[in-house]
């Protein structure tokens, strides 16, 4: 079993601007097993991630709204976005 | 099982509320309620830009519509939400509902617009006449309005 898995991370709205890209493909350590752990991993990876993601971040795993403890098993994409302001 | 006729559209193009209202006419309907949100001017605003999550918005709005149809006996419910750059006074969102009695139609429209402000993946960015722009921060009042239906 590999100790990394490929996953696509997408950023929206102010997170997209802060990260300077709309998406990236990463090799995620298998130990990063939940949506919340992925956010923490991004915060620790570099300064941009640390400055960008706070407690307000909303997470979708494979296009379904997720919680911090949502498993990433079998997931192919994670979307991170700020609170919604539609309507 | 709800027999509500649900119509959801996420689009860049403008819409005309007239034909949308006509589509909500249904046999047995006693009333049709509707709300149209438009780009509000003032404070130096020149345009509004709406970003969305293309793979999630349609499903999110359909889920809100199904929730409304579960709560009230609706004959039809229509949601139209735009994205992209919108000029002042341009229509942003339309919600319309028809029902046998007015209370269901009025409440369903209020519920739907309150919900979609906080539960559908859209983000507004304001552009100002001085060339600056800024993301719209979530308003506590919007979350309070959405929470009153919980």
């Amino acid at each position: 079993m590999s100790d990394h898995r490929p996953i696509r991370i997408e950023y929206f709205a102010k997170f997209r601007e802060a990260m300077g890209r709309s998406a990236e493909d990463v090799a995620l350590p298998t130990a990063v097993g939940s949506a919340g752990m992925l956010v923490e991993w991004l915060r620790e990876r570099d300064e941009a991630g640390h400055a960008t993601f706070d407690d307000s971040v909303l997470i979708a795993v494979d296009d379904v709204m997720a919680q911090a403890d949502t498993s990433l098993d079998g997931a192919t994409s994670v979307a991170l976005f700020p609170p919604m302001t539609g309507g | 099982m709800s027999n509500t006729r649900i119509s959801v559209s996420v689009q860049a193009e403008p819409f005309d509320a007239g034909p949308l209202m006509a589509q909500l006419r249904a046999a047995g309907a006693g009333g049709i309620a509707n709300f149209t949100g438009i780009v509000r001017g003032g404070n130096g605003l020149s345009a509004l830009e709406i970003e969305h999550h293309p793979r999630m918005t349609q499903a999110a709005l359909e889920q809100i519509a199904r929730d409304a149809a579960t709560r009230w006996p609706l004959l039809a419910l229509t949601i139209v939400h735009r994205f992209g750059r919108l000029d002042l006074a341009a229509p942003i969102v339309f919600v319309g509902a028809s029902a046998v009695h007015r209370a269901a139609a009025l409440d369903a429209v209020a519920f739907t617009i309150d919900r979609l402000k906080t539960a559908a993946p859209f983000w507004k960015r304001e552009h100002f006449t001085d060339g600056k722009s800024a993301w719209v921060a979530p308003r506590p009042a919007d979350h309070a309005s959405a929470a009153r239906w919980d």
Side-chain angles (χ1 to χ4, degrees), chain A residues 10 13 16-17 63 85 87, chain B residues 51 55 81 122-124 135:
Chain A
E10 296 171 289
R16 172 176 50 74
E17 290 183 343
D63 299 343
T85 55
Chain B
E51 178 173 334
R55 299 192 310 273
H81 202 302
F122 292 96
W123 302 277
K124 290 197 188 99
W135 292 102

Side-chain angles (χ1 to χ4, degrees), chain B residues 23-40:
Chain B
Q23 286 171 20
L24 285 162
R25 289 181 199 140
I32 302 173
N34 76 102
F35 173 84
T36 300
I38 62 175
V39 180
R40 181 176 51 233

